[in-house]
Amino acid sequence: MEHVSNGVSLVEFKKRSLIPEKWEDQVRAIGISEYKEAALSLAQAFATDELAQYLLDADDMVGITDEAKWRLHVDIFNYIVAAHCYRGIVTTIGPDYEGVALWMPPGSDMDDWLTIVRSGMWRLYYQLSAEGRKRYYRELMPVLHDTKVETMGEKDKDCYYLVYLGTKPSGQRRGYGRKLIEQMAAKADAEGRWMYLESSSDKNTAYYKKFGFEIKKDIYLGADSKSPVRLTIMVRDPQKLVHSIPIKLNGGFKMM
């Protein structure tokens, strides 16, 4: 309300927005029709991530422009998010996909050829440089797979795998990451299942501890490179949460 000199009070009404109001604070699962928006959000969230840069900063990519690297960075997330839309669970929160989480539910993976083709992941092999392909296909993927199997043992197929969790800069400090984790944690607890993730920074590791994740060990990529990347393996045992956040599924979205 604004007061003017002639004693007349003007009331300013909030205009109605076509953006659903509940998107501001409610976690929802999305399908393939929204994968590009979610992928761009994650690309922005992980623009300074050491692992993301490790894949694109190989010695044989010195001549590649920053613009070209950014486009490839976005493409990688396009493929990964699309694959999770087909085989996993993609959750988001915020009016413009500010927070996004990629989950692989118990017993699922995205390694089958149909998913690789449908998601566009097959293109990545031809887009990466020779050293980039080595880092991604011969180092990163086998190490992540083997470490998860070794860490979880018999529980490997009985856990929720948090593959990516990111909040783009414009959506930070709004509690979006917390709500994304708590929503799936409540589901995992209700089913008596574990949760698994890899953290790529000390800041993230400290953050995940707040939700019951415990450090199991550290692994390293690029041990023979100038800047080795450390990933901290974390596991959360089933537990009882005080609060849970409902999940909203779009029409036509099928849980795998």
Side-chain angles (χ1 to χ4, degrees):
M1 181 178 293
E2 180 182 351
H3 185 73
V4 294
S5 60
N6 60 6
V8 178
S9 296
L10 300 178
V11 178
E12 183 177 337
F13 294 97
K14 182 180 179 180
K15 291 184 178 180
R16 184 179 73 88
S17 173
L18 291 176
I19 301 175
E21 186 175 351
K22 60 186 177 182
W23 283 12
E24 178 64 38
D25 59 4
Q26 186 178 94
V27 176
R28 62 192 182 95
I30 63 173
I32 194 64
S33 65
E34 300 174 87
Y35 84 96
K36 286 189 176 181
E37 292 84 351
L40 182 57
S41 179
L42 282 178
Q44 293 172 352
F46 284 87
T48 61
D49 182 69
E50 291 184 0
L51 177 57
Q53 294 179 1
Y54 173 69
L55 296 175
L56 300 179
D57 285 343
D59 292 339
D60 58 355
M61 293 190 70
V62 173
I64 305 300
T65 65
D66 290 341
E67 291 77 10
K69 286 185 178 181
W70 170 252
R71 288 193 293 270
L72 179 53
H73 177 66
V74 173
D75 281 345
I76 291 173
F77 277 102
N78 275 332
Y79 306 149
I80 294 174
V81 172
H84 280 78
C85 285
Y86 288 126
R87 295 291 296 162
I89 302 173
V90 181
T91 55
T92 187
I93 187 171
D96 193 29
Y97 306 86
E98 279 81 2
V100 177
L102 306 185
W103 305 90
M104 193 54 64
S108 298
D109 61 57
M110 58 181 191
D111 299 332
D112 61 286
W113 279 107
L114 179 59
T115 301
I116 292 173
V117 172
R118 295 174 73 192
S119 66
M121 184 67 75
W122 62 272
R123 297 188 180 95
L124 183 58
Y125 182 87
Y126 302 97
Q127 292 176 280
L128 291 171
S129 66
E131 178 62 24
R133 287 194 293 270
K134 177 182 176 182
R135 292 182 177 186
Y136 188 85
Y137 292 104
R138 295 173 58 184
E139 183 182 13
L140 175 64
M141 299 310 292
V143 168
L144 294 186
H145 174 272
D146 294 346
T147 300
K148 181 171 177 285
V149 172
E150 293 170 3
T151 302
M152 299 306 296
E154 295 180 353
K155 302 186 290 289
D156 181 49
K157 299 295 184 180
D158 199 33
C159 67
Y160 282 89
Y161 180 13
L162 176 53
V163 182
Y164 276 102
L165 171 68
T167 303
K168 62 184 181 181
S170 62
Q172 294 178 358
R173 300 188 182 279
R174 299 186 191 179
Y176 287 154
R178 173 182 61 81
K179 291 181 178 181
L180 287 167
I181 294 176
E182 287 184 346
Q183 179 274 321
M184 197 59 72
K187 179 176 176 58
D189 289 340
E191 299 174 1
R193 300 181 188 275
W194 288 259
M195 301 178 77
Y196 177 95
L197 62 81
E198 304 106 3
S199 172
S200 58
S201 73
D202 291 335
K203 180 180 178 181
N204 291 344
T205 298
Y207 181 74
Y208 291 129
K209 284 183 177 180
K210 298 178 181 179
F211 302 94
F213 284 92
E214 298 180 354
I215 297 176
K216 295 302 178 180
K217 62 180 176 180
D218 290 335
I219 59 174
Y220 292 86
L221 299 170
D224 57 348
S225 67
K226 298 177 182 178
S227 301
V229 177
R230 183 187 68 182
L231 296 177
T232 300
I233 307 303
M234 307 186 75
V235 176
R236 179 183 182 277
D237 292 340
Q239 54 191 267
K240 183 177 181 180
L241 287 182
V242 177
H243 301 290
S244 63
I245 298 175
I247 182 171
K248 175 67 175 178
L249 297 180
N250 284 349
F253 182 81
K254 181 179 180 181
M255 296 283 287
M256 301 302 295

